[in-house]
Amino acid sequence: MSKHSKHSNQVRIIGGQCRGRKLVFADADGLRPTPDSVREKLFNWLGQDLTGMNVLDLFAGSGALGFEAASRNAKRAVLADNNRKTADMLRQNARGLGLDKLEILNTDGLAYLQRSSEKFDVVFLDPPFAWQGWENLFTSLKNSLKNGAMVYIEAGELPDFPEWLEPYREGRAGKSGFVLLQFVQVAE
């Protein structure tokens, strides 16, 4: 690897207290950070300030979405990634930016949801490109959402989502589609 190529794996935080700072990330299968233009649109949809919100970035990868939320005053951001090297880089970036409201977990996202009792206001789901475990994910996700929670999904092909997630906004960028959904508590 040349001296210059290791710096190509960077993504810039586009808003909040860490605006303009760079995140460095390791190569990993299926890892493709959410483009700046898509993150900008997403955080316009969510409102620029996430003060008081608990955020979950379930397939953290570069950490762009979770770090962006933390930079915008999220009360807490949990970033989960099953790749140890990726999780180590996320921790290194968190220390470098001085963001203590980040919790970085080296774990499988589904396993985390199944054992966690925490409820989130915003959840980012941007799994590796070819990932197909949506049905199990939705089953586990429902119990982790606060009423009215926003769920962002980015995928090559958007999955069918359950009736308790209502589309709020959507778009496309390159080969990916993205959608912001709102959790609606269904009376049982």
Side-chain angles (χ1 to χ4, degrees), residues 7-69:
H7 293 296
S8 59
N9 284 354
Q10 292 185 342
V11 63
R12 188 175 52 90
I13 296 175
I14 58 173
Q17 68 193 42
C18 296
R19 181 181 183 173
R21 304 278 302 271
K22 291 200 167 53
L23 302 172
V24 179
F25 58 92
D27 282 323
D29 274 353
L31 191 149
R32 47 182 216 312
T34 302
D36 286 9
S37 60
V38 174
R39 276 185 289 130
E40 193 164 338
K41 192 173 280 189
L42 169 61
F43 282 92
N44 283 337
W45 293 345
L46 288 171
Q48 296 293 327
D49 188 0
L50 303 185
T51 297
M53 294 189 184
N54 284 330
V55 176
L56 174 62
D57 188 350
L58 203 57
F59 303 90
S62 70
L65 295 171
F67 277 87
E68 198 73 58

Side-chain angles (χ1 to χ4, degrees), residues 75-149:
K75 180 167 82 180
R76 185 158 180 271
V78 176
L79 283 70
D81 200 284
N82 63 2
N83 182 308
R84 189 180 53 78
K85 196 172 165 187
T86 299
D88 288 346
M89 285 303 286
L90 291 169
R91 286 187 191 97
Q92 199 175 318
N93 284 323
R95 280 192 302 274
L97 294 173
L99 289 171
D100 56 0
K101 49 193 156 193
L102 288 168
E103 183 179 346
I104 316 285
L105 304 171
N106 180 203
T107 185
D108 175 73
L110 278 175
Y112 171 76
L113 283 177
Q114 288 162 358
R115 69 173 182 268
S116 172
S117 59
E118 192 164 355
K119 303 262 189 206
F120 294 93
D121 300 287
V122 178
V123 177
F124 301 122
L125 304 174
D126 182 7
F129 203 67
W131 191 79
Q132 292 295 316
W134 292 106
E135 203 171 310
N136 289 338
L137 175 62
F138 288 135
T139 302
S140 301
L141 178 66
K142 189 174 184 182
N143 293 329
S144 297
L145 298 174
K146 289 183 181 174
N147 199 20

